Amino acid sequence: MFNYGYFSFDSKADLLEKAIEYWNPGKTRFWQDAGIDLVIDRREGYFLYDMSGRRLIDLHLNGGTYNFGHRNPELVSVLKSALDYFDMGNHWFPSVARAAFAEKLVKTAPGMKYAIFGSGGAEAVEIALKTARYVTQRKKIVSIVKGYHGHSGLSVATGDDRFSKIFLADRPEEFIQVPFNDIDALDRALRGRDVAAFIIETIPATYGFPMPHDGYLKACLDLCRRYGTLYIADEVQTGLLRTGAMWGWQSYDLEPDMFVTGKGLGGGIYPISACVVTEKCGGWLHEDGAAHISTSGGSELGCVVGHQVIDILQRPEVVSNVQFVAEFFQRSLAEMMAAHSDIFVGVRQRGVILGLEFDHPEGAVAISRALYEHGVWAIFSSLDKRVLQFKPGVLLDAATCQEIIDRMEAAMPRARALLRTMRRAA
């Protein structure tokens, strides 16, 4: 019997059956078929514990949501204190928490003027796309092939057709995609001067963190300026110090018209997101501040937590730790790749954003399972299963960094065996 406060289950099998029956049969069966029977129970810092009590080091971080680890004590304390005074608040009225957090957020981003809050990354993208259409009075949106910007009505149309066509949400006459790192393709898409915005993750996460070529992002921004198109930087997974700068676009010396942030902005404690815009892009806030309404967007509890998240990220010791973690894995993974060059063929890295490339079309699926069996949880990229998303947290300590490498090394024989089975089955 497993008891969780108000909830109890006879066994893990009982829970999984109920998940299939009442929650999401597709997701539940997918992981069962992949040999990963994870049901997360207790979680603390960068460690997850399965219902059976088995410990895993979390290198997935739910896309960076747990940038500071799970249930970060400082953020838990802040939220508990906030609950003595605040609740979600009322989105119609000015608020102490909302005004303070908006100021804090805007001041991290030179050139920006307003922070417009949502409850999740997809909503922040919706706000950005609607803002671009308002400013330019154009409808078309350009994004990259295999990009990802969320699952809501407008945002899903910017991403891979795996997510849009199932709900008949693809709109090829309004939403155009161009290959990543192909500046000529972007030029052709924008030269008609009828595109409202170009939206791009600074480093595309769901695509497996392919790195932008030298000068590519700057060239994209220059084209946007030439053709009157707004540049939207999606920082949901690349922001919050993960590239080594507060925002990924800062590490590439860019000046976007807007950027969106979410996931780790709430520290894994309370959901909040934001679209941060220049003064020019904030015009609709003067014309009709209720043109976008979100009951839980900018929740006062979320604002209190988000304010503390930014405060933590601005501490010199945290900035130094990100540099340490990045350099540790750069060095250690280069050594590991040299030792296992038959299957481990590349590392994509910027700060603590890493994608590990393997030599089989679904090589990262095998690596993910082998690591899972050896106490590390890292997920393969949904849109390029050769690549393992490898996401160390910004507060990771030296001992845990070394343990990750040791466990990864121990998992390599199992990974090879799984890859041999996959090749025979092909």
Side-chain angles (χ1 to χ4, degrees):
M1 175 73 72
F2 292 87
N3 292 297
Y4 301 86
Y6 296 106
F7 314 117
S8 63
F9 295 93
D10 293 335
S11 63
K12 180 190 281 190
D14 176 40
L15 184 150
L16 291 172
E17 286 176 11
K18 285 186 167 63
I20 289 170
E21 186 172 0
Y22 298 110
W23 174 62
N24 191 314
K27 279 186 179 179
T28 306
R29 290 192 177 111
F30 174 84
W31 290 115
Q32 288 180 320
D33 292 345
I36 295 172
D37 61 346
L38 176 62
V39 176
I40 299 170
D41 182 15
R42 186 164 64 90
R43 68 292 305 259
E44 200 78 38
Y46 293 109
F47 303 107
L48 302 173
Y49 295 82
D50 185 72
M51 283 178 68
S52 61
R54 193 165 74 90
R55 191 195 75 163
L56 294 162
I57 302 173
D58 188 4
L59 283 181
H60 175 202
L61 303 184
N62 198 11
T65 301
Y66 302 106
N67 208 18
F68 295 161
H70 295 266
R71 301 179 62 252
N72 178 273
E74 184 173 342
L75 296 181
V76 169
S77 177
V78 164
L79 179 58
K80 285 180 176 178
S81 296
L83 283 164
D84 291 334
Y85 193 85
F86 295 102
D87 53 20
M88 283 174 57
N90 187 320
H91 69 91
W92 280 104
F93 297 99
S95 142
V96 170
R98 212 172 287 125
F101 183 39
E103 180 183 20
K104 184 89 166 178
L105 197 55
V106 166
K107 286 186 173 179
T108 67
M112 297 297 159
K113 177 64 175 174
Y114 301 108
I116 309 162
F117 294 120
S119 56
E123 185 181 1
V125 170
E126 296 277 315
I127 295 167
L129 298 180
K130 292 194 296 185
T131 296
R133 287 177 165 181
Y134 170 87
V135 173
T136 64
Q137 292 297 294
R138 302 170 178 178
K139 290 194 75 171
K140 290 184 180 178
I141 306 293
V142 174
S143 57
I144 67 159
V145 175
K146 296 191 181 295
Y148 177 82
H149 303 285
H151 284 271
S152 59
L154 294 177
S155 67
V156 74
T158 66
D160 191 75
D161 61 12
R162 171 190 172 187
F163 305 119
S164 60
K165 286 193 173 180
I166 189 172
F167 297 118
L168 309 182
D170 52 320
R171 308 181 202 174
E173 70 287 353
E174 293 181 27
F175 291 85
I176 301 152
Q177 296 187 341
V178 297
F180 182 58
N181 276 327
D182 187 338
I183 196 64
D184 292 335
L186 182 61
D187 192 331
R188 290 191 295 272
L190 301 187
R191 67 177 53 160
R193 300 180 185 272
D194 58 352
V195 173
F198 172 57
I199 183 168
I200 186 170
E201 290 178 280
T202 303
I203 303 169
T206 307
Y207 196 2
F209 298 127
M211 293 292 151
H213 293 163
D214 288 347
Y216 169 70
L217 294 175
K218 184 64 165 60
C220 290
L221 181 60
D222 289 345
L223 284 178
C224 287
R225 296 285 184 267
R226 181 188 307 170
Y227 295 123
T229 296
L230 300 182
Y231 185 106
I232 304 169
D234 185 333
E235 293 284 323
V236 171
Q237 294 207 42
T238 55
L240 304 173
L241 214 59
R242 295 200 58 79
T243 64
M246 179 65 77
W247 306 111
W249 54 265
Q250 291 173 318
S251 67
Y252 288 95
D253 196 28
L254 303 174
E255 295 180 2
D257 297 288
M258 294 174 265
F259 71 94
V260 296
T261 175
K263 291 191 184 293
L265 191 65
I269 296 295
Y270 202 100
I272 190 165
S273 66
C275 173
V276 185
V277 306
T278 61
E279 185 165 13
K280 174 185 175 182
C281 291
W284 67 265
L285 294 166
H286 296 274
E287 180 177 336
D288 183 355
H292 179 87
I293 290 176
S294 176
T295 300
S296 56
S299 158
E300 293 184 26
L301 293 171
C303 287
V304 172
V305 173
H307 193 281
Q308 195 68 19
V309 164
I310 299 299
D311 186 74
I312 294 170
L313 290 170
Q314 290 177 325
R315 295 172 187 169
E317 63 271 25
V318 176
V319 177
S320 295
N321 197 68
V322 171
Q323 184 177 356
F324 162 76
V325 173
E327 291 175 352
F328 176 91
F329 283 113
Q330 182 180 43
R331 181 175 61 253
S332 299
L333 290 171
E335 293 171 358
M336 182 171 290
M337 186 168 60
H340 302 282
S341 59
D342 56 321
I343 59 170
F344 184 8
V345 297
V347 177
R348 306 166 175 180
Q349 181 176 10
R350 184 90 179 200
V352 291
I353 293 170
L354 295 103
L356 312 188
E357 298 177 57
F358 295 89
D359 75 333
H360 185 278
E362 296 202 358
V365 177
I367 302 300
S368 180
R369 178 170 173 179
L371 287 174
Y372 173 70
E373 293 172 3
H374 285 78
V376 175
W377 176 233
I379 199 169
F380 48 87
S381 297
S382 296
L383 301 180
D384 187 351
K385 293 179 181 178
R386 298 176 304 117
V387 182
L388 185 78
Q389 294 185 355
F390 191 95
K391 302 173 183 173
V394 299
L395 302 181
L396 206 61
D397 60 33
T400 308
C401 287
Q402 187 59 54
E403 184 181 352
I404 289 166
I405 291 298
D406 292 344
R407 289 181 177 275
M408 189 171 178
E409 183 65 48
M412 294 307 278
R414 173 61 170 153
R416 277 194 176 83
L418 289 168
L419 284 168
R420 281 196 297 271
T421 299
M422 291 168 71
R423 288 189 177 99
R424 283 197 296 269

